[in-house]
Each structure stands twice: as structure tokens, then as C-alpha cells.
């Protein structure tokens, strides 16, 4: 059974940094896409950044220049380095991964890790 486990969330002051990690297990192949989403209270879940197996990365406009996604495909691990954090970055951050097997795109989610930016 595939599992994604996030870590690295916490409370940080505005302007601070955090590094989130997500480790995938139960998948013998490398994921196609690994990504980070977030959901703030009362808001819809939104894409923060993703990393495709080809090496392409994309970012939400709100985090460009502040966040960096990276991955170790061999270990099915993805990271999110978050710098210059703002109170509006406060949310539950979810790890996402998918893998195309045959004609089926299998999608997986972690349980989430809380990031709170507050003074």
C-alpha cells in the first residue's frame, strides 16, 4: 500500500523559513508527479508547487521566488523549502504523488502537516 508521510511543519515567525519533507513508501517505481498542495481554513485546496519526472517544476504565483520544490526520485521523496514566510502561507500542507500504471493514473495524498506563520 502506497503511503506518503509529511514532516517539517510547525510555527514560524513572519520572514522565517521551514523545510517540508514527504517520503513515499510502498511504490517500487518512481512517481510521475510529486507536489505540494495547501489548504487554509475556509479555502479550497490549492497547488503550491509540483515537480514532474522530466524535471519541470511549476509554482503558484503567490510563492514564486520564495518556495523551492525538489525531489529525490530514487527515494520517492519530495521537499519544499519555504523562505520569507508570510502569515497568508498558514495552511495545512499536503503531499501529493501520482503514477501512471497502464491506463490508470493512480493518485496519492499524505495526511498533511500544519504550517503556521505568526508573530
Amino acid at each position: 500500500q502506497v503511503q506518503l508521510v509529511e514532516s517539517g511543519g510547525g510555527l514560524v515567525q513572519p520572514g522565517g523559513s521551514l523545510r517540508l519533507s514527504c517520503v513515499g513508501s510502498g511504490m517500487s517505481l518512481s512517481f510521475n508527479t510529486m507536489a505540494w498542495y495547501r489548504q487554509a481554513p475556509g479555502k479550497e485546496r490549492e497547488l503550491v508547487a509540483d515537480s514532474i519526472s522530466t524535471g519541470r517544476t511549476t509554482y503558484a504565483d503567490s510563492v514564486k521566488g520564495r518556495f523551492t520544490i525538489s525531489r529525490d526520485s530514487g527515494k520517492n521523496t519530495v521537499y519544499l523549502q519555504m523562505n520569507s514566510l508570510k502569515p497568508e502561507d498558514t495552511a495545512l500542507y499536503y503531499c501529493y504523488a501520482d503514477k501512471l500504471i497502464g491506463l490508470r493514473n493512480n493518485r496519492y495524498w499524505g495526511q498533511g502537516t500544519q504550517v503556521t506563520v505568526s508573530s
Side-chain angles (χ1 to χ4, degrees):
Q1 182 175 355
V2 175
Q3 286 189 317
L4 301 176
V5 179
E6 305 102 332
S7 62
L11 173 64
V12 63
Q13 292 187 341
S17 298
L18 282 175
R19 188 186 192 222
L20 305 183
S21 300
C22 171
V23 180
S25 61
M27 171 63 72
S28 59
L29 305 171
S30 296
F31 293 114
N32 293 118
T33 298
M34 298 195 78
W36 290 95
Y37 285 75
R38 67 186 181 186
Q39 187 167 20
K43 295 188 177 182
E44 293 186 353
R45 190 175 298 190
E46 63 174 357
L47 175 68
V48 177
D50 66 17
S51 174
I52 312 300
S53 57
T54 57
R56 187 199 66 150
T57 59
T58 57
Y59 295 90
D61 287 343
S62 60
V63 306
K64 282 181 181 177
R66 300 187 298 122
F67 291 9
T68 302
I69 189 170
S70 60
R71 64 187 286 183
D72 183 338
S73 295
K75 297 181 179 179
N76 275 337
T77 300
V78 65
Y79 307 96
L80 185 68
Q81 178 66 43
M82 305 185 294
N83 299 327
S84 302
L85 283 160
K86 304 176 181 180
E88 51 263 44
D89 294 318
T90 295
L92 189 59
Y93 283 70
Y94 295 93
C95 180
Y96 165 89
D98 64 37
K99 181 64 180 177
L100 183 65
I101 300 176
L103 298 178
R104 178 175 179 176
N105 192 28
N106 299 275
R107 304 170 189 266
Y108 310 98
W109 291 93
Q111 293 298 308
T113 184
Q114 179 67 39
V115 172
T116 302
V117 185
S118 175
S119 55

